[in-house]
């Protein structure tokens, strides 16, 4: 079938929203609506509306439901998915009913992440939202297979002003022209391995082949686990593929942007990706009154307002700031911090991550040149960031500093609770004193290594 033939009314997974009993999901799996994950502040669900799209009214309804049935804290992840925190076993079904009543479609199976400006960006090569619907319709049984890894990731990149080249995925489907798509596996826009290219039907068939291979390998298997010889047997022409690489850098998230057709969009980021339902509802009500027609969730822990006229944008930016959202031009230091909910919001956390983040921004500006991510994790679970980073974990004894790793890793240095500000200031000073001309903070830390950093932290 062609992508355009996919029905916009397709509601794959709706039966689960309406009736499937909720089950507790183990840590390490995706906490989908049908399988919430226990956390320190109750149950957490992660959901992605079809196409990552909502109306302002739908988003406000979702926020009201999060306040009524959870603890009123919502998050947008680094991949542009939505999380609702503080639910209880008896309230998950009520949240599900509210989602259905608001007309929000949450497809079952793996999340398929699409370009946030799909359908409205004049620069995109083809519509990824239509491709998502075609994939779900054609490959429904495969996508629903319990043998697929819970965290299996698929990205559909239509190209355009806001591409998805920075997102890593098991399977990437990237528009090459209005009719042709590239299918690649295991990586981001630069590192993924191409396996097939062709019209939509061929691309969907290739994705089906990959899903079949993964299901055969068994639950927990990812694209990186596929034997290259087996892959080449299924895709004998893969080594000769010529393709257009994904755009390496495109439109930033935060700020006012004018598309090539003259339309204006406004990107906003809640501080550290986290927002209270009351602030979100107030902002959405203002946006709705000023003509916003749609919300598009976006990678980078934020979302775009669609439909605002250019003359309404400045007032919306002021309103966004008053409710805890950044909507100015990019470059703010908060963009380089991944912070979990922290103490006060999560019972597992040993320190207030966002409070510490603000102190560190003021005290250690040398850390924030954009070359690294500072991961502030209230405990060793590392919920806020799934990649190696400069990490501070909390424990009953204080803090663990990990120069380039995960929250669960053995700390390179342990810091007593009362010395954290001093320690970070010393670390920043060591970077300033040792950084070579043109050297980034990340490169300087790598060169200093554990020995150099430990020495700096111990200096009085």
């Amino acid at each position: 079938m062609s992508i355009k033939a996919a029905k916009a009314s397709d509601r794959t997974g709706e039966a689960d929203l309406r009736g499937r009993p909720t089950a507790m999901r183990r840590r390490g799996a995706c906490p989908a609506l049908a399988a919430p994950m226990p956390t320190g502040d109750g149950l957490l669900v992660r959901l992605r509306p079809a196409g990552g799209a909502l109306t302002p009214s739908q988003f406000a309804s979702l926020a009201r439901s999060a306040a009524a049935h959870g603890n009123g804290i919502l998050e947008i992840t680094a991949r542009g998915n939505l999380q609702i925190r503080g639910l209880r076993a008896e309230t998950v079904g009520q949240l599900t009913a509210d989602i259905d009543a608001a007309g929000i479609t949450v497809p079952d199976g793996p999340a398929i992440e699409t370009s946030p400006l799909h359908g409205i960006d004049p620069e995109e090569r083809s519509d990824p939202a239509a491709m998502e619907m075609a994939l779900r319709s054609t490959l429904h049984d495969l996508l629903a297979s319990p043998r697929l890894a819970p965290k299996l990731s698929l990205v559909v990149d239509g190209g355009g002003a806001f591409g998805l080249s920075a997102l890593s995925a098991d399977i990437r489907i990237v528009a090459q022209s209005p009719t042709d798509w590239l299918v690649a596996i295991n990586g981001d826009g630069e590192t993924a391995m191409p396996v097939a290219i062709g019209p939509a039907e061929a691309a969907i068939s290739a994705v089906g082949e990959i899903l079949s291979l993964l299901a055969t390998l068994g639950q927990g298997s990812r694209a990186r686990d596929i034997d290259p010889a087996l892959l080449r047997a299924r895709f004998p022409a893969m080594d000769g593929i010529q393709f257009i690489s994904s755009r390496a850098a495109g439109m930033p998230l935060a700020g006012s942007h004018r598309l090539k057709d003259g339309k204006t969009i406004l990107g906003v980021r809640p501080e550290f990706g986290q927002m209270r339902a009351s602030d979100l509802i107030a902002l959405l009500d203002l946006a709705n009154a000023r003509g916003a027609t749609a919300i598009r969730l976006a990678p980078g822990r934020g979302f775009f307002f669609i439909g605002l006229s250019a003359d309404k944008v400045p007032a919306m930016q002021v309103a966004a700031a008053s409710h805890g959202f950044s909507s100015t031009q990019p470059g703010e230091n908060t963009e380089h911090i991944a912070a979990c909910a922290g103490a006060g919001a999560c019972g597992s956390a040993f320190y207030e991550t966002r409070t510490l983040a603000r102190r560190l921004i003021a005290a250690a500006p040398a850390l924030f040149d954009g070359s690294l991510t500072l991961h502030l994790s209230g405990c060793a679970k590392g919920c806020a960031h799934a990649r190696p980073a400069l990490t501070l974990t909390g424990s009953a004894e204080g803090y663990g500093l990990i120069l380039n790793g995960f929250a669960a890793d053995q700390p390179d240095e342990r810091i007593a609770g009362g010395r954290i500000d001093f320690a970070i200031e010393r670390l920043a000073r060591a970077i300033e004193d040792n950084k070579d001309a043109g050297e980034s903070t990340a490169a300087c830390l790598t060169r200093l290594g554990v020995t150099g950093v430990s020495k700096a932290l111990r200096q009085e």
Side-chain angles (χ1 to χ4, degrees):
M1 65 178 288
S2 69
I3 291 181
K4 297 298 183 184
K7 295 181 180 179
S9 60
D10 176 66
R11 292 180 63 87
T12 301
E14 188 174 51
D16 294 333
L17 288 177
R18 285 177 172 168
R20 183 194 293 180
T22 57
M24 298 304 104
R25 182 66 64 96
R26 70 185 186 280
R27 180 159 297 280
C30 284
L33 191 61
M37 178 185 290
T39 68
D41 57 342
L43 299 178
L44 177 147
V45 299
R46 181 179 303 144
L47 57 91
R48 180 174 179 81
L54 296 163
T55 66
S57 296
Q58 285 177 327
F59 203 3
S61 294
L62 193 55
R64 282 190 285 271
S65 186
H69 307 308
N71 62 10
I73 296 176
L74 300 93
E75 297 169 327
I76 302 179
T77 70
R79 300 182 72 93
N81 298 314
L82 191 63
Q83 295 187 160
I84 297 173
R85 305 190 66 94
L87 296 161
R88 304 183 305 280
E90 64 271 22
T91 63
V92 173
Q94 296 167 326
L95 172 71
T96 298
D98 288 350
I99 289 172
D100 201 38
I104 300 170
T105 302
V106 182
D108 199 12
I112 299 178
E113 290 145 353
T114 55
S115 312
L117 302 183
H118 60 78
I120 61 173
D121 182 358
E123 296 184 64
E124 73 178 1
R125 301 184 190 112
S126 193
D127 185 0
M131 172 59 92
E132 177 191 357
M133 287 191 290
L135 286 166
R136 292 196 182 280
S137 175
T138 306
L139 306 177
H140 174 268
D141 291 344
L142 272 173
L143 288 168
S145 171
R147 295 183 62 80
L148 294 178
K151 283 195 171 184
L152 187 75
S153 55
L154 293 87
V155 161
V156 182
D157 190 347
F162 194 105
L164 301 180
S165 62
L167 287 188
S168 181
D170 288 284
I171 304 174
R172 305 183 66 80
I173 307 99
V174 183
Q176 301 291 287
S177 72
T179 57
D180 285 343
W181 295 81
L182 170 75
V183 178
I185 67 166
N186 188 32
D188 58 23
E190 293 185 0
T191 63
M193 178 186 298
V195 298
I197 192 168
E201 293 85 352
I204 293 169
S205 177
V207 173
E209 289 278 347
I210 297 165
L211 292 174
S212 295
L213 285 173
L214 291 170
T216 300
L217 289 173
Q219 189 179 52
S221 297
R222 307 293 291 270
R224 60 179 176 267
D225 300 316
I226 300 176
D227 185 335
L230 181 58
L231 197 64
R232 284 179 169 81
R234 294 287 186 103
F235 302 99
M238 60 182 284
D239 290 329
I241 291 175
Q242 300 294 318
F243 64 94
I244 303 170
S245 60
S246 298
R247 180 186 297 230
M251 174 191 296
L253 170 56
S256 174
H257 310 286
R258 186 177 293 272
L259 301 180
K260 280 199 170 180
D261 60 1
K263 293 178 182 175
T264 299
I265 60 173
L266 176 63
V268 301
R269 296 177 71 253
E271 189 178 43
F272 311 120
Q274 190 175 105
M275 51 205 165
R276 294 201 172 274
S278 55
D279 289 320
L280 178 59
I281 292 166
L283 184 63
L284 291 168
D285 287 346
L286 285 171
N288 202 27
R290 289 171 177 162
T293 57
I295 303 295
R296 297 291 179 84
L297 302 175
R301 305 180 190 275
F303 56 90
F304 289 107
F305 283 112
I306 311 298
L308 292 170
S309 59
D311 63 307
K312 296 293 196 304
V313 166
M316 275 301 301
Q317 289 180 297
V318 172
S322 70
H323 290 291
F325 294 81
S326 172
S327 61
T328 56
Q329 294 304 313
E332 295 185 355
N333 290 335
T334 57
E335 293 183 13
H336 308 302
I337 297 176
C340 70
C346 177
S348 296
F350 287 93
Y351 70 96
E352 295 183 0
T353 53
R354 289 173 294 163
T355 299
L356 180 60
R358 297 184 193 103
R359 297 206 310 265
L360 297 184
I361 288 171
L367 290 175
F368 304 104
D369 67 347
S371 65
L372 56 75
T373 295
L374 175 60
H375 178 194
L376 301 181
S377 183
C379 70
K381 296 175 185 176
C383 300
H385 193 68
R387 292 186 176 185
L390 177 62
T391 302
L392 269 177
T393 60
S395 70
E397 293 75 33
Y399 299 84
L401 176 66
I402 300 156
L403 291 185
N404 184 31
F406 302 94
D409 291 346
Q410 189 71 16
D412 295 313
E413 188 72 22
R414 295 189 184 276
I415 304 167
R419 289 179 58 84
I420 186 62
D421 287 359
F422 170 81
I424 295 300
E425 287 177 13
R426 292 303 307 165
L427 179 60
R429 179 68 60 82
I431 293 168
E432 292 172 340
D433 292 345
N434 290 277
K435 187 186 291 187
D436 292 334
E439 188 177 34
S440 70
T441 294
C444 181
L445 280 174
T446 298
R447 182 167 53 80
L448 288 173
V450 175
T451 301
V453 169
S454 295
K455 180 180 178 182
L457 295 182
R458 284 173 168 74
Q459 289 178 349
E460 294 295 340

